[in-house]
Amino acid sequence: MSDIHRLIYVSAAREEMTPAQLDSVLAVARKNNEPIGVTGLLLFHDGSFFQVLEGPKNAVMRIFSAIERDPRHSRVIVLQTKSTDTRAFPNWSMGYVNAHALRPDQKAHLVDLSHLVGRDEQATLSSSPAVSVHINAFLGSFREFADI
Ligand SMILES: Cc1cc2nc3c(=O)[nH]c(=O)nc-3n(C[C@H](O)[C@H](O)[C@H](O)COP(=O)(O)O)c2cc1C
């Protein structure tokens, strides 16, 4: 069965986010995502957001279209949009991971992704094999965490 859709994007925060501002994004995300079966992960590091959204396709797309229009960030670039059998973060209506808590190998995948985002044509990123190698390794590194 592959009835789960996963969408991953990166974006640039318009201004530095305080912990209180991040908390309010997360509170709204959890309130909206949970009832429609959307789970995922949000990371904020160095002015950039990295977010994974997983769930029924129409729910993921509805949430993402609101996120895309959010004035708190810009340059929203989709890195992956595909159907999948398994949620990487089944237990998190929107988990937040502090970038400082990432292991060096996890950070390395994010740094490599950000280089690819800086270098490649945005339109081709979500079909780039190099992007998916780093994404799969990064998501896989959370398995023990995410309880799957
Ligand atoms: C980086 C970022 C991530 C967000 N993630 C979510 C999310 O996962 N789910 C969600 O409903 N809103 C999310 N939002 C907020 C939406 O952009 C939007 O403000 C919200 O969906 C509006 O919900 P409301 O109509 O209940 O106030 C996010 C915003 C930002 C800036």
Side-chain angles (χ1 to χ4, degrees), residues 9 28-29 31-33 49 51 53 63 66-67 70 72 94:
Y9 73 84
V28 170
K31 170 181 73 75
N32 291 343
N33 297 359
F49 291 109
Q51 189 172 27
L53 296 161
I63 295 284
I67 294 175
D70 195 308
R72 290 171 286 189
M94 189 45 63

Side-chain angles (χ1 to χ4, degrees), residues 20-133:
Q21 287 168 323
L22 271 175
D23 278 349
S24 97
V25 168
L26 286 165
V28 170
R30 288 167 183 154
K31 170 181 73 75
N32 291 343
N33 297 359
E34 206 267 338
I36 57 173
V38 172
T39 50
L41 167 85
L42 180 67
L43 262 165
F44 177 67
H45 180 57
D46 228 2
S48 296
F49 291 109
F50 173 96
Q51 189 172 27
V52 180
L53 296 161
E54 298 176 316
K57 187 169 187 179
N58 60 353
V60 166
M61 291 311 184
R62 178 144 43 100
I63 295 284
F64 180 61
S65 73
I67 294 175
E68 245 187 327
R69 293 191 304 264
D70 195 308
R72 290 171 286 189
H73 61 178
S74 62
R75 301 208 303 275
V76 176
I77 298 169
V78 174
L79 297 182
Q80 182 176 86
T81 179
K82 62 177 239 180
S83 60
T84 168
D85 293 331
T86 329
R87 293 183 194 240
F89 306 102
N91 301 324
W92 292 351
S93 59
M94 189 45 63
Y96 180 72
V97 173
N98 189 319
H100 299 295
L102 291 174
R103 297 194 310 257
D105 59 306
Q106 294 174 319
K107 226 174 248 178
H109 290 303
L110 282 186
V111 169
D112 287 342
L113 277 172
S114 71
H115 290 156
L116 291 167
V117 169
R119 202 195 62 193
D120 286 8
E121 282 295 317
Q122 295 182 9
T124 62
L125 279 169
S126 66
S127 56
S128 151
V131 166
S132 73
V133 164

